[in-house]
Amino acid sequence: MAVGGETSEPEAAVELEAVVAEWQDKYLRLQAEFDNYRKRTLREKMDLVQTGGRDVLLAMLPVRDDVQRALAAMEKSDDVEALRSGVLLISQKFTEALRQKGVTEIEVKDKDFDAEYCEAVARFAAGEEKKGKVIDVVQTGYMLGERVLRFAKVVVGE
C-alpha cells in the first residue's frame, strides 16, 4: 500500500504543475491580448482625433476660398450693396458648414440666465420684469451636439 501512495503523490504533483503551467500560459496570453487591445484603441483614438479635425478643416476651406474672393472683389468694386450681399452669403455658408458638423448657436437673449449655458460678464439695472433675464449677448455661445462648445457671454438684468 505504501507503494501505491508513493506513486499517486508524484502524479498529483505532475498534474498540479501542468495545471499551473496552463494557467500561467493563459495569464500571459491574456496580458499580451490586453496590451495589444490598449495599444490598438490608443491608435484608434489618435486617428479619430486627427480625422475629426481634418473633416472640420475640409468643411472650412470652401468658406475661406469665398472670403478670399470677397477680399479680391472689395479691391475692384465700389458697389457696397453687392459686397454686403456677398459677405452675407459667406456668413450663411459658414453657419451651414458649422451646422453640418453639429455646431449650433445657444439662444439665450430675453430668457432666464442659466449658468449651464451662459457666463455673466455684466449686470445692468433693467427693471423688475427683466430681473434675472439675459438682456444682451456680448459673445454668442455654441453647442456641439448636446455639449457646450463655448459659453455665451451675456449681460444680465438686475
Side-chain angles (χ1 to χ4, degrees):
M1 284 203 158
V3 174
E6 288 176 22
T7 57
S8 67
E9 207 172 287
E11 284 176 11
V14 169
E15 219 174 279
L16 188 59
E17 282 180 22
V19 169
V20 168
E22 182 183 339
W23 279 104
Q24 281 179 333
D25 183 56
K26 284 182 180 180
Y27 172 73
L28 289 174
R29 288 178 188 274
L30 184 62
Q31 192 175 21
E33 218 174 281
F34 178 73
D35 194 42
N36 289 339
Y37 167 78
R38 186 181 55 79
K39 288 177 185 175
R40 185 178 61 248
T41 55
L42 187 61
R43 265 193 318 272
E44 287 172 357
K45 282 181 187 178
M46 288 173 54
D47 289 347
L48 186 62
V49 168
Q50 288 174 345
T51 303
R54 183 178 183 272
D55 290 348
V56 171
L57 292 173
L58 283 173
M60 297 301 117
L61 287 177
V63 177
R64 187 196 184 280
D65 293 340
D66 289 345
V67 169
Q68 292 301 106
R69 284 191 285 275
L71 289 172
M74 281 184 205
E75 300 214 0
K76 298 174 188 170
S77 175
D78 291 332
D79 187 358
V80 176
E81 274 309 307
L83 294 174
R84 186 175 311 191
S85 65
V87 171
L88 179 63
L89 286 172
I90 292 170
S91 176
Q92 290 169 346
K93 187 174 187 176
F94 186 65
T95 301
E96 179 60 22
L98 289 174
R99 189 194 63 73
Q100 287 177 355
K101 295 299 175 189
V103 177
T104 56
E105 285 187 18
I106 300 174
E107 298 291 332
V108 292
K109 189 160 183 170
D110 297 325
K111 295 183 179 176
D112 290 335
F113 174 77
D114 186 351
E116 296 284 323
Y117 302 103
C118 305
E119 178 183 333
V121 294
R123 293 200 174 272
F124 189 77
E128 201 58 39
E129 72 278 353
K130 295 272 189 173
K131 187 174 185 176
K133 295 206 180 279
V134 175
I135 296 173
D136 191 25
V137 178
V138 177
Q139 186 178 57
T140 305
Y142 294 94
M143 301 283 290
L144 178 58
E146 297 296 316
R147 299 188 70 178
V148 174
L149 186 60
R150 180 175 81 183
F151 292 93
K153 292 186 180 181
V154 299
V155 177
V156 180
E158 282 188 340

